[in-house]
Amino acid sequence: MSEELFPEPEWLSEEVKTGTTIIAVTFDGGVVLGSDSRVSAGEAVVNRVMNKLSPLHDKIYCALSGSAADAQTIAEIVNYQLDVHSIEVEDDPLVCSAATLVKNISYKYKEELSAHLIVAGWDKKKGGQVYATLSGLLTSQPFAIGGSGSFYINGFVDAEYRKNMTKRECQEFVVNALTLAMGRDGSSGGVAYVVTIDKDGAEEKCVLGNELPKFFDQ
Amino acid sequence: MATMLQFPSSVSTLNDYNALYPDWTQREVSTGTTIMAVEFDGGVVMGADSRTTTGAYIANRVTDKLTPIHERIFCCRSGSAADTQAIADAVTYQLGFHSIELDEAPLVQTAASLFRDMCYRYREELMAGIIVAGWDRRRGGQVYTVPVGGMMTRQPVSVGGSGSSYIYGFVDSNYKPAMSKEECLKFTAEALTLAMERDGSSGGVVRLAVISEQGVERQVILGNQLPKFSTV
């Protein structure tokens, strides 16, 4: 009888997902990564301030989306593997190496995992680079978007992205894209985390809800 | 994954059948599509792509999804092609009758209400997302959206169809109130082009219509004349 009166909420048994919006953009001299901060289990928001931009090395970050557990685990494993690799070569690792390590795990376990990581960073060989590793593919792109919220901003990023933007313009572009996606996707929201990586290192910034740009709202 | 408007096959099939015949022979014909309408001072601009699909096969690549309901009232159709055509025909008849009784041009809101009544009453059987837009003397240019399920609401700008998910960000950021007719045309053409580039169920040419006190002007923008956004 008591089960009928107080049925267990669905979200207790739903997998925790970072239904999310993530974006990474290159500029001349580095990259800018951005993400929202909402982690949902079904309809419940279990964490509203999660930072989905995870460091893989000093100047290489990855953006997490999909299943929270899968994405975090991949990031931790690759973090470890990159540390070992950089000791062996006695130099900072290349962004391409980090992306390849992520791709290897994503591809080998693609049936079991459901996470999409965007790897971005700066290295002295090729400067700022962004790699998408969806389902085990590996591709270098001028910019990449991912997560459930990214569907709504496909048109926006296609229209607004220009080559050779400055660092400032890239940061604005990332914040605008995240704001628009968070406005339309129920699984994205909270604050916007932005990380800028260039030859001098990585700079993390958090843009709070009331500081986000305002667009026309009818 | 994100909210995609997937239209399920209306015919259940045996596994063997799929091996012998292509998928689209059992799929319902759908206007998986991108449609859009924008109000400006003095009228409305409506736009649509031109692709009708049955599964992966493009049944018609030059479809006209902007259907006249009355002299200065049009509708954009998305969802099942059969359902939307049938609804549009029924509403055209009802509105024509009503306008003769009234002895004057009908209101856009009346047309939208007729669509809503039908879409809500038969919501279990229908799969139709419709945008009704036009001009009347009382309220000028108006856009009403009647999505799947049968709600109706007036909006200054409305997008619909499977391709609309991809352009919400673009529309939210680029729409400004009080745009001129030319700005609205450019805005609509750009938004539809972006959606057509990303949505497999939208494509072909862009059909535009401008409705105002003067009447209806129709335009077609062919594939090679579409605005270019490629960053490569």
Side-chain angles (χ1 to χ4, degrees):
Chain A
M1 267 310 239
S2 55
E3 296 97 300
E4 286 161 23
L5 286 174
F6 302 107
E8 189 186 84
E10 274 178 29
W11 52 260
L12 279 179
S13 44
E14 294 251 4
E15 191 190 345
V16 172
K17 281 193 159 288
T18 48
T20 194
T21 312
I22 50 177
I23 174 171
V25 191
T26 54
F27 63 91
D28 184 23
V31 294
V32 179
L33 289 105
S35 83
D36 73 308
S37 68
R38 180 173 290 186
V39 180
S40 50
E43 292 146 358
V45 175
V46 294
N47 187 344
R48 58 187 167 95
V49 286
M50 168 153 179
N51 190 342
K52 300 174 192 175
L53 303 175
S54 195
L56 297 177
H57 206 259
D58 295 338
K59 300 195 184 75
I60 308 176
Y61 270 62
C62 72
L64 316 172
S65 76
S67 154
D70 290 349
Q72 282 185 341
T73 309
I74 298 175
E76 280 170 19
I77 295 174
V78 172
N79 187 337
Y80 163 75
Q81 290 174 339
L82 259 189
D83 274 346
V84 171
H85 170 70
S86 85
I87 289 169
E88 282 175 357
V89 299
E90 287 179 14
D91 200 357
D92 285 335
L94 298 176
V95 187
C96 182
S97 314
T100 307
L101 290 169
V102 172
K103 179 264 289 179
N104 288 343
I105 302 176
S106 302
Y107 182 69
K108 188 163 177 199
Y109 300 103
K110 69 188 298 193
E111 305 301 326
E112 292 100 325
L113 296 174
S114 69
H116 167 34
L117 274 67
I118 298 180
V119 180
W122 182 91
D123 62 45
K124 57 180 191 275
K125 189 167 165 198
K126 285 195 195 154
Q129 302 142 72
V130 165
Y131 291 85
T133 65
L134 179 66
S135 304
L137 69 71
L138 178 62
T139 168
S140 170
Q141 298 174 189
F143 69 91
I145 55 177
S148 58
S150 70
F151 287 96
Y152 302 101
I153 48 172
N154 264 296
F156 174 77
V157 299
D158 281 344
E160 301 294 323
Y161 174 77
R162 283 154 290 120
K163 282 195 281 225
N164 304 325
M165 287 198 280
T166 65
K167 177 160 90 164
R168 191 94 197 78
E169 288 173 335
C170 265
Q171 288 169 333
E172 276 175 25
F173 174 64
V174 163
V175 171
N176 286 340
L178 287 171
T179 307
L180 289 164
M182 297 199 291
R184 288 287 179 179
D185 180 29
S187 315
S188 302
V191 303
Y193 287 104
V194 181
V195 168
T196 312
I197 310 176
D198 56 19
K199 64 175 173 19
D200 301 318
E203 181 199 320
E204 293 192 14
K205 198 158 119 67
C206 173
V207 183
L208 298 180
N210 57 345
E211 295 162 12
L212 291 171
K214 304 247 178 305
F215 293 98
F216 174 76
D217 247 329
Q218 57 256 40
Chain B
M1 292 285 263
T3 50
M4 300 288 280
L5 294 176
Q6 282 294 355
F7 304 107
S9 164
S10 58
V11 179
S12 62
T13 59
L14 303 168
N15 284 333
D16 302 314
Y17 194 71
N18 280 333
L20 297 172
Y21 295 93
D23 164 67
W24 50 260
T25 50
Q26 310 114 52
R27 297 285 233 138
E28 190 185 339
V29 174
S30 100
T31 47
T33 195
T34 315
I35 50 178
M36 181 167 167
V38 192
E39 287 177 11
F40 65 90
D41 182 24
V44 293
V45 170
M46 306 173 73
D49 74 305
S50 70
R51 184 173 287 186
T52 308
T53 50
T54 30
Y57 175 66
I58 299 174
N60 185 347
R61 61 186 168 98
V62 284
T63 325
D64 186 6
K65 301 179 191 175
L66 303 177
T67 310
I69 305 297
H70 202 263
E71 216 182 311
R72 287 185 178 74
I73 306 177
F74 270 59
C75 75
C76 311
R77 301 179 290 113
S78 77
S80 152
D83 287 349
T84 54
Q85 283 178 357
I87 299 171
D89 286 346
V91 171
T92 305
Y93 164 75
Q94 292 170 347
L95 202 65
F97 194 75
H98 168 74
S99 135
I100 287 172
E101 284 183 319
L102 230 57
D103 203 18
E104 68 178 34
L107 297 176
V108 186
Q109 185 178 13
T110 312
S113 297
L114 289 169
F115 271 106
R116 184 267 315 272
D117 287 348
M118 193 163 294
C119 290
Y120 179 69
R121 184 180 300 251
Y122 301 108
R123 57 184 297 177
E124 303 302 326
E125 290 99 332
L126 293 174
M127 174 69 82
I130 296 177
I131 300 180
V132 185
W135 181 93
D136 62 46
R137 237 180 12 179
R138 193 185 291 184
R139 297 202 185 107
Q142 301 143 73
V143 170
Y144 294 88
T145 179
V146 182
V148 170
M151 111 173 166
M152 175 185 78
T153 183
R154 181 178 173 189
Q155 292 179 311
V157 58
S158 185
V159 295
S162 57
S164 67
S165 318
Y166 301 105
I167 49 172
Y168 276 112
F170 177 79
V171 169
D172 283 342
S173 63
N174 283 58
Y175 174 73
K176 294 173 294 300
M179 287 198 284
S180 70
K181 177 174 97 168
E182 284 68 30
E183 287 174 323
C184 281
L185 279 165
K186 181 161 175 290
F187 174 53
T188 308
E190 285 181 350
L192 289 170
T193 306
L194 289 164
M196 281 159 46
E197 270 173 30
R198 288 288 178 179
D199 180 30
S201 315
S202 302
V205 303
V206 168
R207 292 198 187 272
L208 294 168
V210 182
I211 310 177
S212 63
E213 184 173 5
Q214 285 75 35
V216 179
E217 291 165 39
R218 301 210 51 170
Q219 285 179 32
V220 178
I221 307 186
L222 300 179
N224 58 347
Q225 299 160 345
L226 293 170
K228 305 244 178 304
F229 291 102
S230 174
T231 54
V232 175

